[in-house]
Amino acid sequence: MPSKVVICGAGFIGLRIAHAISQANSFVKPLRHIQISSRSPEKLDTSLHRDLPSAHVLPLVPLDITKPEMLDPAFHGANVVVSLVGVLTGSPKTFEEIQWQGAENVARAARRAGAKLVHMSALGANKDSKIPYERTKALGEDAAFRHCPDATVIRPSLVFGPGDGFFGRFAQLSKFLPFLPVFGDGSTRFQPVFVDDLARLVELVSRDDAEIRRELSGRIVYAGGPDIFTFRDIMKMVLKYTGRTRPIIHVPWAIGNVQGAMLEKLPPSVLTLTRDQVKQLKHDNTVPSPLPPGELSLADLLRKHFQDKPTSAHRILPKYLA
Ligand SMILES: NC(=O)c1ccc[n+]([C@@H]2O[C@H](COP(=O)([O-])OP(=O)(O)OC[C@H]3O[C@@H](n4cnc5c(N)ncnc54)[C@H](OP(=O)(O)O)[C@@H]3O)[C@@H](O)[C@H]2O)c1
């Protein structure tokens, strides 16, 4: 009897997870049906979605996680719910409605459905933060564990891969800006993780395998790549792999803040920047070392279950930035 994985939030990471599960279906039993849910299924007519084998994919379900009445029908019969919904911009209320209360709605409905919850959070999640993104990510994690104590929470650093919103965005900016900006002295550190490594992790957590479920139950998995880069290193990589030559200009934090104040008022675009994003860029975004007691890392799980290691950005960026 096939099991059913609901992918809640079919954006950049969600569709790669659907592919990882579908590819693993040839060697992981029982077969897992993939149910993709989206606020706007009509927008999902992408090649990534079309390329999924139809035998593995159930019809799309419309779902807004801020509307609890939509969740039970969407999760009916689910063995696993992957909670991926997140936002990068919006008012503090929007962050609360989506990343906190929305995540809580998902966790409650996953429990009612009797499904294992996999919840995508982020490095930097912090209940004491004044930045709504970071605070609501932490409150979303709490809600996930409160309603589903056996949930697995994943905290990735920046995620890279075709279609990503960071490397891809600066590559686009480098097309028309005469320079690339870094805020402050550009020394903030990141540990970018490849989207397909993250997708393999979620595929693993989604398996109907009692031992894996036990290992990952109630745990936070920190997901970073093999290399730590500064903001300035990242801009250099973007220029190297797009083949462009541009000066890298240091923008003082105060000027970044003024830019954020202006740009956050404009409709979303490649130039979108908010004051909170500028503040976030002040903090390192790397996997803690040592890990908090009892928590896990993507690197350890890839080694143990796939005899592999996280993929370097240097291997992948040239394939899609060039
Ligand atoms: N990408 C990264 O570098 C990164 C790093 C750390 C953590 N994360 C976390 O990973 C998760 C997935 O990220 P992503 O990069 O794949 O983001 P994404 O491409 O923006 O996908 C997020 C999805 O959430 C959906 N969504 C937004 N509000 C919703 C609502 N009220 N109800 C239902 N769906 C809603 C969006 O659907 P619509 O198309 O309907 O708007 C979108 O498909 C997020 O939680 C994010 O915070 C990402």
Side-chain angles (χ1 to χ4, degrees):
M1 164 92 165
S3 63
K4 175 167 132 178
V5 180
V6 178
I7 302 207
C8 189
F12 163 56
I13 299 174
L15 287 175
R16 300 306 314 177
I17 292 172
H19 274 270
I21 293 175
S22 147
Q23 277 157 19
N25 265 347
S26 57
F27 58 89
V28 173
K29 300 285 172 259
L31 179 80
R32 286 165 291 175
H33 279 151
I34 301 157
Q35 170 98 71
I36 295 174
S37 75
S38 164
R39 259 190 314 189
S40 20
E42 70 286 354
K43 279 203 251 154
L44 265 179
D45 189 25
T46 60
S47 56
L48 254 189
H49 182 238
R50 281 194 301 271
D51 289 351
L52 285 163
S54 54
H56 300 171
V57 185
L58 299 170
L60 283 161
V61 279
L63 178 64
D64 183 334
I65 63 161
T66 63
K67 299 188 174 134
E69 68 282 2
M70 294 181 87
L71 288 152
D72 287 341
F75 293 179
H76 181 72
N79 304 72
V80 176
V81 168
V82 186
S83 173
L84 289 158
V85 173
V87 282
L88 286 172
T89 57
S91 65
K93 186 162 170 276
T94 304
F95 279 103
E96 289 193 356
E97 281 174 358
I98 294 180
Q99 297 201 149
W100 176 17
Q101 288 143 15
E104 178 148 24
N105 292 337
V106 171
R108 276 206 189 97
R111 190 194 53 205
R112 282 195 296 269
K116 154 94 186 174
L117 177 67
V118 185
H119 177 79
M120 195 64 70
S121 182
L123 278 182
N126 174 5
K127 257 184 292 185
D128 299 322
S129 173
K130 293 200 165 47
I131 301 173
Y133 177 85
E134 294 179 343
R135 195 173 79 87
T136 54
K137 275 291 182 197
L139 292 168
E141 288 183 358
D142 274 5
F145 282 134
R146 191 163 57 254
H147 297 289
C148 302
D150 67 342
T152 302
V153 166
I154 302 173
R155 287 187 172 186
S157 181
L158 277 182
V159 184
F160 66 89
D164 76 55
F166 197 85
F167 290 87
R169 185 169 162 206
F170 281 102
Q172 260 183 294
L173 283 174
S174 72
K175 262 192 220 162
F176 59 87
L177 284 185
F179 62 88
L180 278 185
V182 292
F183 294 105
D185 64 2
S187 65
T188 310
R189 298 175 329 136
F190 300 89
Q191 196 171 347
V193 55
F194 182 35
V195 66
D196 285 358
D197 289 339
L198 206 52
R200 278 200 289 176
L201 171 65
V202 176
E203 181 281 309
L204 177 78
V205 187
S206 306
R207 288 185 196 173
D208 192 8
D209 176 316
E211 210 170 299
I212 290 173
R213 288 281 168 96
R214 252 197 315 278
E215 180 183 11
L216 293 161
S217 163
R219 299 296 193 89
I220 296 180
V221 183
Y222 288 83
D227 312 299
I228 292 180
F229 300 110
T230 64
F231 195 164
R232 194 180 161 79
D233 293 334
I234 291 179
M235 293 305 111
K236 282 191 194 158
M237 284 158 70
V238 166
L239 290 171
K240 178 173 171 187
Y241 295 127
T242 52
R244 300 198 176 101
T245 312
R246 301 278 185 277
I248 296 173
I249 302 285
H250 290 260
V251 179
W253 292 111
I255 305 278
N257 197 39
V258 174
Q259 278 181 337
M262 290 189 299
L263 294 175
E264 70 190 14
K265 297 201 170 57
L266 301 179
S269 75
V270 70
L271 290 170
T272 297
L273 177 74
T274 67
R275 278 169 292 178
D276 282 342
Q277 284 172 336
V278 174
K279 277 187 214 150
Q280 258 173 275
L281 288 171
K282 284 185 182 173
H283 306 141
D284 286 346
N285 195 259
T286 54
V287 172
S289 177
L291 287 175
E295 307 304 13
L296 302 163
S297 75
L298 169 74
D300 288 342
L301 291 167
L302 287 184
R303 193 178 311 114
K304 176 169 174 192
H305 293 280
F306 298 93
Q307 295 73 52
D308 202 0
K309 49 189 185 194
T311 310
S312 169
H314 287 294
R315 242 186 73 199
I316 304 298
L317 295 181
K319 296 186 184 168
Y320 70 99
L321 293 189

